[in-house]
Amino acid sequence: MAKIACKGLSKQYDGGPPVLHPLDMQIDDGEFVVLLGPSGCGKSTMLRMIAGLEGISGGELSIGDKVVNDVPARERNVAMVFQNYALYPHMTVYNNIAFGLRRLKVAQAEIDRRVRDVASLLNLDTLLERKPRQMSGGQQQRAAIARAMIKTPAVFLFDEPLSNLDAKLRAQLRGDIKRLHQRLKTTTVYVTHDQLEAMTLADRVVLMKGGLIEQAGTPSDLYHSPRTLFAAGFIGTPAMNVVSGVVERGADGVFVKAVGQRWPLKAGRFSRLQNGQTVKLAIRPNYIRVVTREADGDLRQIRGTVELVELLGAEALVTFDCAGERVAALIPSDAVPALNSVVMFEFREADLHVFDAQSELNVALERDAGTKQQETQRTRVAHAIG
Ligand code: ADP
Ligand code: MG
């Protein structure tokens, strides 16, 4: 097992624009880190650089305590699982799994013991004599994972391994991968564009956008304290509601005007807001409730016209029109208000996130020097891109 460290790591494919801007990242020994972000943000490039399949344009990459910039892939003791299962079609599952050890000239008895070991971990015991085409996508991907595991690598790399599977198999295999990590504790870097996969699997999520790290933290950090408007919108389903607002700051306190209303912002975390500052207000649909009485205490209320009702099962997503902006609330499906009715909704100030409209940074989060540096870089890159 091994930790991974990237210092100022960057990538530029020959002659092209930068694909990864110099970035710092530390992955602890035994940690499960998910690189999350939209298609094209540089996740696979990052993973392939760790694997040694892609050259490094700048900075330093270490695995364990060793700088591996110039160490070829086969000497890095990493194993990678790809989106398409990449099994040898003419070989049985047994031989596919054994392949890597045979090439290393491991004794047959030892190979047999280890193949049966990993096969049992991944519930492949009864499938060892099958050819890949005789198995489902989920089974093939489990075989591909077994093949990667058998060499007991120091680092496990996964590149969107579940993307080709249907929803049910995806959930099943997600559980298998998590259980596997809980048992083996192998340092794992897992790439996906699916925030649910990231949230369920990761010890820590590294959210990327345009070749930069947007935010790194535990799933709970990203969910409850999104550092940027992008992070707020990318994490969580149903997606965060976002509306525009303007701050009013006077002797009687801090207020925000939005969706035709004006609320006080009482919490200390909003004390840095300036009079006239334009902001984006964000709140998750699951923190908004339908109410019938006037609010008291810390509750804020908005009135809206029910525009759309989407039944999800025990809950329904109700979208309402609120002074021209759309806001959605997740509410119990036995309490769904009628279409076109005017209803009062409420939320707690504690569940509201406020972002500066220009920088798109969360106004409530304290920033250390490292974060500030990243933000400066982010702003500079954003301006360069236009
Ligand atoms: P992701 O895995 O997050 O979808 P990638 O790492 O595959 O993103 O790609 C990041 C960016 O690098 C994209 O703009 C992509 O077009 C570019 N890119 C990837 N591979 C190459 C390559 N071999 N040559 C040139 N550009 C590439
Ligand atoms: Mg990719």
Side-chain angles (χ1 to χ4, degrees):
M1 293 202 277
K3 64 180 182 197
I4 301 171
C6 307
K7 283 190 205 143
L9 199 69
S10 67
K11 179 68 183 181
Q12 189 163 10
Y13 289 100
D14 19 55
V19 165
L20 288 176
H21 300 276
L23 53 86
D24 295 333
M25 183 170 73
Q26 178 92 30
I27 296 169
D28 289 335
D29 187 11
E31 202 177 15
F32 196 122
V33 165
V34 174
L35 304 182
L36 172 69
S39 175
C41 71
K43 307 179 297 292
S44 293
T45 300
M46 183 77 193
L47 201 69
R48 292 170 60 81
M49 283 162 82
I50 297 172
L53 301 173
E54 201 64 72
I56 291 169
S57 307
E60 196 178 272
L61 172 72
S62 340
I63 299 178
D65 291 316
K66 191 174 167 197
V67 175
V68 294
N69 285 38
D70 299 316
V71 176
R74 63 179 182 281
E75 288 166 30
R76 290 192 189 188
N77 196 16
V78 302
M80 190 149 162
V81 176
F82 300 89
Q83 178 173 346
N84 45 5
Y85 325 121
L87 295 168
Y88 298 110
H90 58 285
M91 284 185 196
T92 60
V93 169
Y94 185 103
N95 287 329
N96 263 290
I97 298 174
F99 186 78
L101 294 184
R102 291 219 169 100
R103 277 194 5 184
L104 296 174
K105 307 262 188 284
V106 176
Q108 179 53 42
E110 166 79 1
I111 290 179
D112 193 61
R113 190 185 61 75
R114 281 164 69 176
V115 169
R116 291 186 192 282
D117 244 25
V118 295
S120 130
L121 262 181
L122 285 157
N123 285 321
L124 291 165
D125 322 60
T126 57
L127 303 172
L128 287 171
E129 293 318 312
R130 300 245 187 121
K131 297 270 179 66
R133 70 182 139 73
Q134 298 166 315
M135 304 198 301
S136 72
Q139 292 167 336
Q140 289 187 52
Q141 194 57 302
R142 289 213 303 272
I145 295 170
R147 193 177 60 176
M149 261 176 67
I150 197 155
K151 288 193 273 182
T152 54
V155 174
F156 246 140
L157 305 175
F158 290 91
D159 195 350
E160 312 240 11
L162 308 184
S163 296
N164 284 353
L165 304 176
D166 66 47
K168 196 168 166 208
L169 270 177
R170 208 153 57 220
Q172 215 173 66
L173 203 50
R174 203 172 65 209
D176 290 342
I177 291 175
K178 179 112 179 163
R179 273 188 285 272
L180 205 61
H181 180 258
Q182 281 166 358
R183 257 192 79 167
L184 303 174
K185 291 275 174 230
T186 308
T187 309
T188 301
V189 190
Y190 184 108
V191 161
T192 182
H193 64 273
D194 179 345
Q195 62 88 27
L196 182 65
E197 234 168 270
M199 298 294 277
T200 49
L201 282 170
D203 293 325
R204 214 149 48 85
V205 176
V206 175
L207 178 63
M208 297 173 64
K209 181 191 170 199
L212 289 166
I213 294 177
E214 191 77 8
Q215 182 169 7
T218 62
S220 168
D221 280 344
L222 269 76
Y223 187 82
H224 292 292
S225 310
R227 207 170 62 78
T228 64
L229 191 59
F230 175 78
F234 203 83
I235 304 285
T237 37
M240 190 83 97
N241 292 299
V242 180
V243 300
S244 298
V246 179
V247 175
E248 282 185 3
R249 192 186 176 119
D252 53 344
V254 179
F255 295 82
V256 67
K257 274 172 76 178
V259 290
Q261 276 168 286
R262 183 175 183 266
W263 306 298
L265 292 177
K266 293 180 182 164
R269 65 196 171 111
F270 297 129
S271 60
R272 276 175 302 220
L273 287 170
Q274 302 296 314
N275 188 42
Q277 186 173 351
T278 54
V279 291
K280 298 283 183 189
L281 305 173
I283 186 157
R284 298 195 185 279
N286 38 317
Y287 294 137
I288 301 180
R289 298 184 306 155
V290 180
V291 282
T292 47
R293 55 183 173 76
E294 292 293 317
D296 50 69
D298 255 359
L299 294 167
R300 305 285 177 270
Q301 291 190 331
I302 27 175
R303 198 178 291 274
T305 307
V306 176
E307 183 211 65
L308 183 69
V309 175
E310 293 163 278
L311 189 63
L312 305 176
E315 291 170 311
L317 188 65
V318 175
T319 307
F320 50 101
D321 181 304
C322 194
E325 299 220 56
R326 277 188 185 141
V327 178
L330 196 61
I331 61 174
S333 38
D334 57 6
V336 170
L339 211 56
N340 297 320
S341 60
V342 175
V343 183
M344 193 108 85
F345 298 84
E346 71 180 17
F347 59 91
R348 298 183 315 152
E349 185 187 287
D351 296 322
L352 184 71
H353 304 281
V354 180
F355 301 87
D356 178 74
Q358 264 73 53
S359 69
E360 301 194 344
L361 296 172
N362 190 330
V363 300
L365 295 185
E366 290 294 341
R367 301 189 169 79
D368 56 27
T371 315
K372 276 195 180 132
Q373 192 191 340
Q374 283 266 332
E375 280 165 7
T376 311
Q377 187 187 33
R378 179 175 169 273
T379 311
R380 208 174 53 227
V381 171
H383 284 157
I385 296 167

